[in-house]
């Protein structure tokens, strides 16, 4: 899946799998500019 935002422009690709590898999830979080702690707090 490709998640997009126009203003400010951002795009993140998230695999459409039942489970994600830990490294893949961390890479996605890193692409968003969030820390792992901030990501968890937003869940």
């Amino acid at each position: 899946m490709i998640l997009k935002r126009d203003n400010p422009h951002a795009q993140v690709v998230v695999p459409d799998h039942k489970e994600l590898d830990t490294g893949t999830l961390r890479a996605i979080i890193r692409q968003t500019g969030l820390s792992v702690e901030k990501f968890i707090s937003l869940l």
Side-chain angles (χ1 to χ4, degrees):
M1 294 182 288
I2 300 173
L3 306 175
K4 296 180 183 180
R5 179 179 63 202
D6 289 330
N7 193 8
H9 176 74
Q11 180 174 311
V12 178
V13 177
V14 180
D16 188 16
H17 301 167
K18 230 177 186 181
E19 291 185 23
L20 293 178
D21 183 64
T22 305
T24 303
L25 180 57
R26 283 187 182 271
I28 293 167
I29 294 170
R30 191 172 33 252
Q31 288 176 22
T32 66
L34 296 172
S35 68
V36 173
E37 293 77 18
K38 180 64 177 178
F39 176 80
I40 291 170
S41 74
L42 294 171
L43 289 177

